[in-house]
Amino acid sequence: MQISGAWRLTARVFLPFAAGYYLSYLFRTINALIAGHLSSDTGLSSADLGLLTSVYFLVFAAAQIPVGILLDRFGPRRVQSVLLLLAATGAGLFAVSTGFLSLLIARAMIGLGVAAALTAGLKSIILWFPRERVALLNGYMIMLGSLGAVTATAPVEHLLAWMGWRQLFGILAAATGATAALIYVVVPERGIVTSMASIPTTLGSVFGDRRFWRMAPLSATCIGSAWSLQGLWASLWLTDVEGLDRVTVVRQLFIMSIVLSGGAWIFGTTVHSIKRRGIERETILATVAVLFIAAELGLILRVPLPSILPWSVIAIAGTATVVSFAVIADYFPPQLAGRANGALNVLHFGWAFLAQYATGLILEQWSANDGHRPLQAYQVAFGLNVALQIAALVWFALPGRRSITPWMSSILVFKPADDSCAVESVGLYEDSVILLPADDDAEW
C-alpha cells in the first residue's frame, strides 16, 4: 500500500479505536483518584467503595464472550460505537447520582459500555492491516490506551482543583459520546460476506484443556489483583499506611501509570526475544508472578524500601496480559486463539472484581481512625490475595501437570481436548469471512 494510504488508514481506523481504549483505561483507574471525594460527598464505606469500583470488572468480564460474538457478527465499527454511547450515558448518570444504587448502576453501565474497547480495536487491526504488522499495532494500541491510566493521576488532579468530580464525569460523558460518533462516522465499513461453512461450538476445547487450567489461575490471580490494587487500593494504602499527602500520592500514582504504559512494550519485546532463543514463555509468566508476590510481601511486611519500588512492580504486572496471551497462543491452534484469549480475559476481569470487592469487605472489619484504616487491615486483605497467588503458583509449578479435564468437563458439559490438543477445525471470524475492500486505499 502507498504511504499516503497507510497514514489514512491509521487516522481513520487505528486512532479512533485507540481513543476508545484510552477512555476505557481512564474509566477503569479514575476511582483511585476520586475515592476520597466519593466517600466524603456520598458517605460511602470502604465496602461500598470496593463494590462500586469493582462492578466495572464484573460487568466487563461477563460481557467478554457476548461482545466477541457481536464483533464477529456486526463488526467492530458498529459494536464499539453503540457500546460507547452506553458508556457515555453511564458517565452522565454517574455525574448526577447522589445515592449508592444509582452510582452502582452508572458504573456498571460504564463497564459494559467499554467492554469491547480493546477487542474491537484489535479486531479492526486484523481486518484492515496486513498480518505482519498486527503484533506491532497491537502493542501500540495497548500502550496508547494505557495512557488513560496516566491521565487518571496528575492531569485529573489538576482538573479537580478547579472543578468537582461531577463536572469531570460530565466532560468524560461528552468525550465518550463524541468518540462513539467519531468511530461510527470516520471508520470505513469493511464489506463482509460470511462463509457458509459450519462453525461448531469450541469453548469446550478451551475450558477442557488441562494446560489452560494450569496457567489460568496464576495469570488471573496476579494480573487481576494488580488491576484491583492500582485501580483503587493503591491510593488508600499510600494515604492510610504510608501517611503521604495528596500531592505525593498523586505523584506516585502518576509514576505507576507511566510504568504501566511502558510495561506492554517491555513484555512484548521480551516475549519475542525469549521465544527466538527457545525459552518457554511460561518462564516469563512465572517470573512475573514471583516478582509480583515479592512486591506485595514487601508492602505487607513493611520492608524498608521506597514504596514506589514495590508499587511499580505491581503496576507493571498489570500488563502481563501480553505474556499470558502469548502462552495461550502456544497452547492452541490459530483457529482457537481468539476464543482462548476471551476465556482467559473473563478470568482476569472476574478475579479483579473479586479481589477489589473482597478487599473492601475485609478493610470494613476494622474501625477507621480519623478516616484511616490501620496497617493490620491492609496486611490481612493483601495477605489473603498473596496466599491465593502462591497457591496458584504452586499449582502452576506442580510436576506432572495433573489434569482436571474430566472434572471441568462434568461441570461445564464441554467436550475436553485430548493431550495432543487435537481439536475440531474451527474458523475464526477472520478465517470465515471474505473481506471486500471499501476503497482502493485499503490495498496493501
Side-chain angles (χ1 to χ4, degrees):
M1 176 181 174
Q2 296 179 349
I3 295 178
S4 60
W7 280 109
R8 186 178 302 177
L9 269 187
T10 300
R12 296 182 63 189
V13 177
F14 178 82
L15 292 180
F17 283 104
Y21 186 48
Y22 165 86
L23 288 169
S24 171
Y25 231 117
L26 177 58
F27 281 123
R28 184 194 304 180
T29 56
I30 196 171
N31 274 18
L33 196 68
I34 67 171
H37 298 280
L38 285 173
S39 296
S40 60
D41 291 354
T42 61
L44 298 180
S45 65
S46 294
D48 291 338
L49 193 60
L51 179 58
L52 175 63
T53 304
S54 63
V55 74
Y56 172 103
F57 294 112
L58 177 64
V59 175
F60 201 110
Q64 287 304 294
I65 293 176
V67 161
I69 296 173
L70 291 174
L71 287 172
D72 287 349
R73 176 65 179 85
F74 299 105
R77 169 178 167 266
R78 283 180 281 182
V79 173
Q80 178 72 319
S81 57
V82 170
L83 286 179
L84 283 181
L85 285 178
L86 178 62
T89 303
L93 177 60
F94 199 93
V96 300
S97 295
T98 57
F100 173 70
L101 181 59
S102 58
L103 286 169
L104 187 69
I105 294 173
R107 178 74 174 170
M109 290 174 63
I110 294 172
L112 179 58
V114 299
L118 177 58
T119 51
L122 300 184
K123 179 69 72 176
S124 69
I125 291 172
I126 292 173
L127 292 179
W128 282 99
F129 294 90
R131 184 174 298 275
E132 63 270 16
R133 298 194 183 188
V134 166
L136 177 64
L137 290 172
N138 284 354
Y140 286 150
M141 177 74 70
I142 295 173
M143 184 175 66
L144 291 176
S146 63
L147 292 177
V150 178
T151 305
T153 56
V156 167
E157 179 70 2
H158 288 305
L159 288 176
L160 290 175
W162 57 278
M163 71 170 61
W165 62 270
R166 296 184 184 278
Q167 289 80 7
L168 174 62
F169 266 82
I171 293 175
L172 290 177
T176 306
T179 303
L182 177 70
I183 290 174
Y184 189 81
V185 173
V186 173
V187 176
E189 189 66 57
R190 193 63 153 158
I192 301 173
V193 178
T194 305
S195 169
M196 298 305 292
S198 175
I199 301 179
T201 301
T202 60
L203 283 175
S205 299
V206 177
F207 287 122
D209 192 285
R210 60 177 183 161
R211 297 166 303 172
F212 178 86
W213 290 110
R214 175 177 170 251
M215 65 83 63
L218 182 64
S219 183
T221 54
C222 290
I223 293 173
S225 293
W227 291 347
S228 166
L229 291 171
Q230 184 164 7
L232 178 61
W233 301 117
S235 63
L236 296 178
W237 167 281
L238 295 172
T239 301
D240 294 350
V241 178
E242 303 288 343
L244 303 182
D245 58 31
R246 178 74 176 180
V247 174
T248 307
V249 168
V250 173
R251 182 168 61 247
Q252 188 144 321
L253 291 176
F254 179 78
I255 294 173
M256 290 171 61
S257 299
I258 292 294
V259 171
L260 173 70
S261 183
W265 178 82
I266 293 173
F267 281 132
T269 303
T270 303
V271 167
H272 178 70
S273 175
I274 197 172
K275 184 64 176 178
R276 293 176 61 186
R277 298 181 182 182
I279 303 175
E280 295 295 331
R281 289 168 174 171
E282 289 99 328
T283 304
I284 306 178
L285 180 62
T287 301
V288 171
V290 170
L291 293 175
F292 178 62
I293 292 171
E296 292 176 292
L297 289 175
L299 293 173
I300 294 171
L301 301 177
R302 306 295 289 141
V303 175
L305 291 172
S307 64
I308 188 59
L309 295 180
W311 279 114
S312 293
V313 173
I314 290 171
I316 201 171
T319 65
T321 48
V322 177
V323 182
S324 298
F325 291 147
V327 173
I328 284 292
D330 285 341
Y331 288 170
F332 299 99
Q335 296 92 334
L336 284 175
R339 292 168 177 81
N341 288 343
L344 183 60
N345 226 18
V346 169
L347 298 180
H348 286 156
F349 282 95
W351 186 265
F353 162 76
L354 292 174
Q356 202 164 73
Y357 182 39
T359 298
L361 289 177
I362 294 173
L363 293 179
E364 196 68 19
Q365 306 310 307
W366 278 263
S367 299
N369 184 15
D370 293 330
H372 301 297
R373 303 287 174 183
L375 170 62
Q376 184 183 11
Y378 287 94
Q379 288 175 321
V380 172
F382 288 12
L384 177 60
N385 255 314
V386 171
L388 294 172
Q389 291 154 18
I390 292 175
L393 181 61
V394 171
W395 171 260
F396 181 81
L398 276 177
R401 304 182 182 184
R402 64 183 61 175
S403 173
I404 60 171
T405 297
W407 176 72
M408 288 304 304
S409 301
S410 65
I411 294 179
L412 299 172
V413 197
F414 284 140
K415 178 182 176 181
D418 59 26
D419 291 345
S420 63
C421 196
V423 296
E424 288 186 84
S425 178
V426 180
L428 283 179
Y429 178 75
E430 301 83 47
D431 301 320
S432 61
V433 299
I434 301 172
L435 301 180
L436 305 179
D439 52 51
D440 292 340
D441 286 333
E443 299 291 344
W444 284 84

